[in-house]
């Protein structure tokens, strides 16, 4: 049952050609699904408007860093609890860094968000750790 998950991205050309789609182990499938939850904004999934997280709702919000991180963490906790039943004992940590990117014409301030999810895989009772960083909020400074 370990390699019963379809890997992402979907290879629709293989499916149309009648070829088998690549599969992946449970651990990789959970990682891919958590990443998909993290980068999907609300109302993007036409079958479930609640799928995703608040990261994209608040990427330009003027909130304190602590309040912003709490908001994202709470949103991810709800999303993982709702859409990832393979995990239990979920603990989420959100970090944010700001980088100033200098170019010849502009200076940009970019936020980089790090998401760490520690949990237990329900079926095997093994520890699971997810950590990803993504850039958001491309602000330009003239």
């Amino acid at each position: 049952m370990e390699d019963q998950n379809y890997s992402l991205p979907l290879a629709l050309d293989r499916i149309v050609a009648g070829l088998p789609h690549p599969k992946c182990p449970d651990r990789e499938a959970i990682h891919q699904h958590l990443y998909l939850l993290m980068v999907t904004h609300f109302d993007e999934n036409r079958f479930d408007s609640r799928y995703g997280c608040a990261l994209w709702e608040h990427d330009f919000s003027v909130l304190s860093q602590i309040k912003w991180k709490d908001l994202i963490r709470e949103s991810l906790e709800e999303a993982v609890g709702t859409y990832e039943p393979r995990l239990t004992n979920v603990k989420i940590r959100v970090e944010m860094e700001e980088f100033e990117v200098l170019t010849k014409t502009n200076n940009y301030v970019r936020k980089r968000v790090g998401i760490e999810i520690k949990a237990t895989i329900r079926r095997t009772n093994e520890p699971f750790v997810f950590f990803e960083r993504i850039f958001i909020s491309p602000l330009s400074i003239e």
Side-chain angles (χ1 to χ4, degrees), residues 69-86:
K69 289 190 315 186
D70 285 345
L71 187 78
I72 302 307
R73 182 184 46 75
E74 289 168 5
S75 175
L76 281 167
E77 284 173 350
E78 183 176 337
V80 172
T82 302
Y83 298 105
E84 191 44 84
R86 295 173 288 188

Side-chain angles (χ1 to χ4, degrees), residues 92-139:
I92 299 176
R93 185 176 61 86
V94 177
E95 63 182 38
M96 188 192 51
E97 302 170 278
E98 290 188 358
F99 293 91
E100 188 171 354
V101 180
L102 305 173
T103 66
K104 290 181 180 179
T105 56
N106 284 324
N107 295 342
Y108 296 95
V109 174
R110 301 283 314 264
K111 286 184 189 175
R112 184 168 77 175
V113 177
I115 307 289
E116 179 185 66
I117 300 174
K118 291 184 177 182
T120 304
I121 298 175
R122 189 180 304 271
R123 189 172 62 81
T124 62
N125 209 29
E126 295 176 307
F128 176 84
V129 178
F130 167 92
F131 185 78
E132 286 289 338
R133 286 189 176 114
I134 59 170
F135 281 100
I136 62 170
S137 302
L139 302 176

